[in-house]
Protein backbone atom coordinates (compact mmCIF):
# COMPACT_ATOMS: atom_id res chain seq x y z
CA UNK A 1 0.00 0.00 0.00
CA UNK A 2 1.09 3.58 -0.72
CA UNK A 3 -1.32 5.37 1.61
CA UNK A 4 -2.90 4.43 4.90
CA UNK A 5 -6.45 3.47 3.90
CA UNK A 6 -7.57 1.30 1.00
CA UNK A 7 -11.18 2.02 0.06
CA UNK A 8 -13.72 -0.81 -0.37
CA UNK A 9 -15.61 -1.20 -3.62
CA UNK A 10 -19.34 -0.66 -3.34
CA UNK A 11 -20.16 -3.20 -6.03
CA UNK A 12 -18.03 -6.23 -6.79
CA UNK A 13 -17.63 -8.37 -9.88
CA UNK A 14 -18.02 -11.64 -7.94
CA UNK A 15 -21.80 -11.74 -7.53
CA UNK A 16 -22.74 -11.02 -11.19
CA UNK A 17 -20.29 -13.69 -12.31
CA UNK A 18 -21.60 -16.08 -9.65
CA UNK A 19 -25.19 -15.47 -10.78
CA UNK A 20 -24.24 -16.04 -14.42
CA UNK A 21 -22.50 -19.31 -13.54
CA UNK A 22 -25.51 -20.52 -11.51
CA UNK A 23 -27.83 -19.64 -14.38
CA UNK A 24 -25.69 -21.60 -16.83
CA UNK A 25 -25.36 -24.61 -14.51
CA UNK A 26 -29.11 -24.67 -13.88
CA UNK A 27 -29.87 -24.77 -17.61
CA UNK A 28 -27.16 -27.39 -18.10
CA UNK A 29 -28.91 -29.58 -15.53
CA UNK A 30 -32.24 -29.02 -17.33
CA UNK A 31 -30.63 -29.98 -20.66
CA UNK A 32 -29.16 -33.17 -19.22
CA UNK A 33 -32.49 -34.15 -17.65
CA UNK A 34 -34.35 -33.55 -20.90
CA UNK A 35 -31.69 -35.41 -22.89
CA UNK A 36 -32.07 -38.47 -20.66
CA UNK A 37 -35.87 -38.33 -21.09
CA UNK A 38 -35.61 -38.01 -24.88
CA UNK A 39 -33.08 -40.87 -25.15
CA UNK A 40 -35.30 -43.02 -22.95
CA UNK A 41 -38.24 -42.32 -25.25
CA UNK A 42 -36.21 -43.13 -28.35
CA UNK A 43 -35.04 -46.39 -26.75
CA UNK A 44 -38.67 -47.36 -26.11
CA UNK A 45 -39.84 -46.09 -29.54
CA UNK A 46 -42.00 -43.45 -27.85
CA UNK A 47 -40.58 -40.10 -28.90
CA UNK A 48 -42.14 -37.15 -27.08
CA UNK A 49 -41.76 -34.24 -29.49
CA UNK A 50 -42.58 -31.75 -26.74
CA UNK A 51 -39.56 -32.96 -24.80
CA UNK A 52 -37.46 -32.81 -27.97
CA UNK A 53 -38.49 -29.20 -28.54
CA UNK A 54 -37.78 -28.31 -24.89
CA UNK A 55 -34.38 -29.98 -25.19
CA UNK A 56 -33.43 -27.90 -28.24
CA UNK A 57 -34.51 -24.71 -26.48
CA UNK A 58 -32.59 -25.60 -23.31
CA UNK A 59 -29.45 -26.38 -25.36
CA UNK A 60 -29.69 -22.95 -27.02
CA UNK A 61 -30.13 -21.21 -23.65
CA UNK A 62 -27.25 -23.19 -22.10
CA UNK A 63 -24.99 -22.31 -25.04
CA UNK A 64 -25.91 -18.61 -24.73
CA UNK A 65 -25.25 -18.67 -20.96
CA UNK A 66 -21.86 -20.33 -21.46
CA UNK A 67 -20.84 -17.79 -24.12
CA UNK A 68 -22.04 -14.88 -21.94
CA UNK A 69 -20.06 -16.18 -18.94
CA UNK A 70 -16.96 -16.63 -21.11
CA UNK A 71 -17.22 -13.08 -22.52
CA UNK A 72 -17.71 -11.57 -19.07
CA UNK A 73 -14.76 -13.50 -17.66
CA UNK A 74 -12.51 -12.39 -20.53
CA UNK A 75 -13.66 -8.78 -20.09
CA UNK A 76 -13.04 -8.96 -16.34
CA UNK A 77 -9.50 -10.26 -16.89
CA UNK A 78 -8.73 -7.69 -19.59
CA UNK A 79 -10.16 -4.72 -17.68
CA UNK A 80 -8.11 -5.70 -14.66
CA UNK A 81 -8.15 -4.48 -11.07
CA UNK A 82 -8.74 -0.99 -9.68
CA UNK A 83 -7.52 0.11 -6.25
CA UNK A 84 -7.95 3.44 -4.47
CA UNK A 85 -6.07 4.50 -1.35
CA UNK A 86 -6.41 7.69 0.69
CA UNK A 87 -4.30 9.30 3.39
CA UNK A 88 -6.96 9.47 6.14
CA UNK A 89 -10.48 8.26 6.78
CA UNK A 90 -13.21 9.12 7.70
CA UNK A 91 -13.32 12.61 6.21
CA UNK A 92 -14.86 15.90 7.37
CA UNK A 93 -16.55 18.71 5.41
CA UNK A 94 -13.89 21.21 4.37
CA UNK A 95 -11.03 18.71 4.71
CA UNK A 96 -8.35 17.91 2.13
CA UNK A 97 -7.16 14.41 1.37
CA UNK A 98 -4.38 12.79 -0.65
CA UNK A 99 -5.18 9.81 -2.84
CA UNK A 100 -3.46 7.10 -4.84
CA UNK A 101 -5.02 5.46 -7.89
CA UNK A 102 -3.90 2.08 -9.26
CA UNK A 103 -5.31 0.24 -12.27
CA UNK A 104 -4.02 -2.87 -14.01
CA UNK A 105 -5.25 -4.59 -17.15
CA UNK A 106 -4.35 -5.69 -20.65
CA UNK A 107 -6.13 -3.23 -22.90
CA UNK A 108 -5.87 0.28 -24.27
CA UNK A 109 -8.08 2.88 -22.62
CA UNK A 110 -9.29 5.90 -24.53
CA UNK A 111 -9.93 7.59 -21.21
CA UNK A 112 -10.23 6.88 -17.51
CA UNK A 113 -11.73 9.38 -15.10
CA UNK A 114 -12.06 9.66 -11.33
CA UNK A 115 -14.84 11.72 -9.76
CA UNK A 116 -15.91 12.67 -6.25
CA UNK A 117 -19.66 12.11 -5.93
CA UNK A 118 -22.27 12.74 -3.26
CA UNK A 119 -25.39 10.71 -3.99
CA UNK A 120 -28.75 11.19 -2.31
CA UNK A 121 -31.25 8.36 -2.38
CA UNK A 122 -34.91 8.36 -1.34
CA UNK A 123 -37.09 5.25 -0.98
CA UNK A 124 -40.88 5.55 -0.93
CA UNK A 125 -44.05 3.70 -1.81
CA UNK A 126 -46.37 4.75 -4.60
CA UNK A 127 -49.45 2.58 -4.26
CA UNK A 128 -48.15 -0.97 -4.05
CA UNK A 129 -44.86 -0.17 -5.82
CA UNK A 130 -41.60 0.51 -4.00
CA UNK A 131 -39.71 3.31 -5.74
CA UNK A 132 -36.12 4.45 -5.34
CA UNK A 133 -35.01 7.85 -6.59
CA UNK A 134 -31.34 8.79 -6.79
CA UNK A 135 -29.63 12.03 -7.76
CA UNK A 136 -26.18 13.56 -7.46
CA UNK A 137 -26.07 16.37 -4.90
CA UNK A 138 -22.40 16.97 -5.71
CA UNK A 139 -20.03 15.77 -8.43
CA UNK A 140 -16.48 16.89 -9.19
CA UNK A 141 -14.00 15.39 -11.61
CA UNK A 142 -10.64 14.84 -9.92
CA UNK A 143 -8.59 12.92 -12.47
CA UNK A 144 -8.93 12.65 -16.25
CA UNK A 145 -6.37 10.60 -18.19
CA UNK A 146 -6.40 9.97 -21.94
CA UNK A 147 -4.92 7.24 -24.16
CA UNK A 148 -3.60 4.89 -21.48
CA UNK A 149 -2.01 1.75 -22.92
CA UNK A 150 -2.10 -1.03 -20.30
CA UNK A 151 -0.94 -3.81 -22.59
CA UNK A 152 2.40 -5.60 -22.15
CA UNK A 153 2.04 -5.89 -18.36
CA UNK A 154 1.80 -2.15 -17.81
CA UNK A 155 -0.05 -0.63 -14.86
CA UNK A 156 -1.47 2.81 -14.31
CA UNK A 157 -0.54 4.66 -11.12
CA UNK A 158 -1.56 8.21 -10.33
CA UNK A 159 -1.44 10.41 -7.23
CA UNK A 160 -4.20 12.96 -6.68
CA UNK A 161 -5.74 15.29 -4.14
CA UNK A 162 -9.33 16.20 -3.43
CA UNK A 163 -11.34 18.19 -0.90
CA UNK A 164 -14.74 17.66 0.67
CA UNK A 165 -16.71 20.93 0.29
CA UNK A 166 -17.40 22.89 3.45
CA UNK A 167 -21.18 23.23 3.18
CA UNK A 168 -22.25 19.69 2.29
CA UNK A 169 -24.28 16.96 3.92
CA UNK A 170 -22.32 14.28 5.72
CA UNK A 171 -22.82 10.55 5.15
CA UNK A 172 -26.19 9.42 6.40
CA UNK A 173 -28.40 6.34 6.29
CA UNK A 174 -32.02 6.34 7.46
CA UNK A 175 -35.05 4.16 6.94
CA UNK A 176 -36.13 5.95 3.76
CA UNK A 177 -33.18 8.22 2.90
CA UNK A 178 -29.45 8.00 2.61
CA UNK A 179 -26.55 10.22 1.63
CA UNK A 180 -23.55 8.38 0.24
CA UNK A 181 -20.13 9.77 -0.66
CA UNK A 182 -17.96 7.85 -3.07
CA UNK A 183 -15.10 8.01 -5.53
CA UNK A 184 -16.21 6.78 -8.95
CA UNK A 185 -13.86 5.45 -11.64
CA UNK A 186 -15.17 5.42 -15.22
CA UNK A 187 -13.13 3.81 -17.97
CA UNK A 188 -13.66 3.86 -21.72
CA UNK A 189 -11.69 1.05 -23.41
CA UNK A 190 -10.79 1.22 -27.07
CA UNK A 191 -12.66 -1.93 -28.11
CA UNK A 192 -14.75 -3.04 -25.11
CA UNK A 193 -17.79 -1.76 -23.20
CA UNK A 194 -17.28 1.04 -20.69
CA UNK A 195 -16.88 0.13 -17.04
CA UNK A 196 -17.66 1.91 -13.78
CA UNK A 197 -16.28 1.15 -10.32
CA UNK A 198 -17.34 2.94 -7.13
CA UNK A 199 -15.48 3.17 -3.81
CA UNK A 200 -17.19 4.13 -0.57
CA UNK A 201 -16.18 7.20 1.44
CA UNK A 202 -17.40 8.08 4.92
CA UNK A 203 -17.88 11.79 5.66
CA UNK A 204 -18.54 12.61 9.32
CA UNK A 205 -20.32 15.79 10.47
CA UNK A 206 -18.19 18.46 12.05
CA UNK A 207 -18.23 18.74 15.83
CA UNK A 208 -18.09 22.47 16.70
CA UNK A 209 -17.64 21.78 20.40
CA UNK A 210 -14.62 19.55 19.81
CA UNK A 211 -13.08 21.99 17.33
CA UNK A 212 -13.58 24.89 19.76
CA UNK A 213 -11.96 22.87 22.51
Amino acid sequence: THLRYRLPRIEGAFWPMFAASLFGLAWLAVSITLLVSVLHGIWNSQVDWLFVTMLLVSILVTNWAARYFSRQMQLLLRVGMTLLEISHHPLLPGSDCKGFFFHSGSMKLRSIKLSLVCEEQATYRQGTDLRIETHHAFKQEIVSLENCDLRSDRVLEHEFQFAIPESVMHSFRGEHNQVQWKLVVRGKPESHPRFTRSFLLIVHPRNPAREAG
Side-chain angles (χ1 to χ4, degrees):
T1 60
H2 289 73
L3 297 176
R4 189 173 181 181
Y5 294 97
R6 177 169 293 177
L7 296 176
R9 277 186 63 179
I10 296 176
E11 78 291 332
F14 171 76
W15 291 112
M17 296 296 295
F18 181 70
S21 62
L22 282 183
F23 180 81
L25 289 174
W27 276 100
L28 178 61
V30 171
S31 299
I32 293 174
T33 303
L34 290 172
L35 178 61
V36 171
S37 299
V38 170
L39 291 176
H40 184 267
I42 293 175
W43 182 263
N44 293 287
S45 300
Q46 296 178 346
V47 178
D48 190 328
W49 292 106
L50 176 61
F51 273 25
V52 172
T53 303
M54 293 173 61
L55 174 61
L56 294 176
V57 172
S58 67
I59 290 175
L60 290 175
V61 175
T62 303
N63 180 64
W64 175 87
R67 291 167 64 88
Y68 174 82
F69 179 81
S70 176
R71 287 196 302 268
Q72 293 301 311
M73 180 62 72
Q74 291 177 7
L75 179 61
L76 179 64
L77 295 175
R78 288 182 63 83
V79 169
M81 177 176 59
T82 306
L83 298 176
L84 287 181
E85 298 175 357
I86 57 176
S87 57
H88 58 278
H89 202 230
L91 305 174
L92 294 173
S95 63
D96 297 328
C97 187
K98 293 180 179 180
F100 178 79
F101 169 77
F102 172 91
H103 184 82
S104 64
S106 58
M107 62 170 58
K108 187 173 182 179
L109 296 173
R110 292 182 179 176
S111 66
I112 187 164
K113 299 180 179 181
L114 173 66
S115 300
L116 174 65
V117 176
C118 176
E119 186 177 83
E120 295 183 356
Q121 185 178 98
T123 305
Y124 62 94
R125 287 194 175 276
Q126 190 173 46
T128 58
D129 297 332
L130 182 65
R131 296 185 176 274
I132 299 176
E133 288 190 356
T134 302
H135 80 280
H136 290 166
F138 177 85
K139 182 178 180 180
Q140 181 183 45
E141 188 175 285
I142 301 172
V143 177
S144 179
L145 303 174
E146 307 289 337
N147 298 321
C148 303
D149 193 348
L150 301 180
R151 294 169 295 186
S152 303
D153 298 326
R154 297 181 184 178
V155 296
L156 177 63
E157 297 180 345
H158 189 80
E159 295 181 352
F160 61 92
Q161 286 188 320
F162 66 98
I164 304 296
E166 184 73 38
S167 56
V168 295
M169 182 64 179
H170 55 79
S171 300
F172 168 80
R173 180 183 292 271
E175 184 178 356
H176 302 290
N177 304 85
Q178 74 170 0
V179 176
Q180 187 177 76
W181 284 87
K182 55 188 178 179
L183 290 172
V184 180
V185 177
R186 290 185 172 88
K188 184 179 180 182
E190 192 172 59
S191 57
H192 293 277
R194 300 183 184 188
F195 64 89
T196 301
R197 293 172 176 176
S198 301
F199 298 81
L200 182 64
L201 289 172
I202 302 298
V203 178
H204 280 184
R206 282 195 173 276
N207 189 333
R210 181 178 296 178
E211 292 178 0

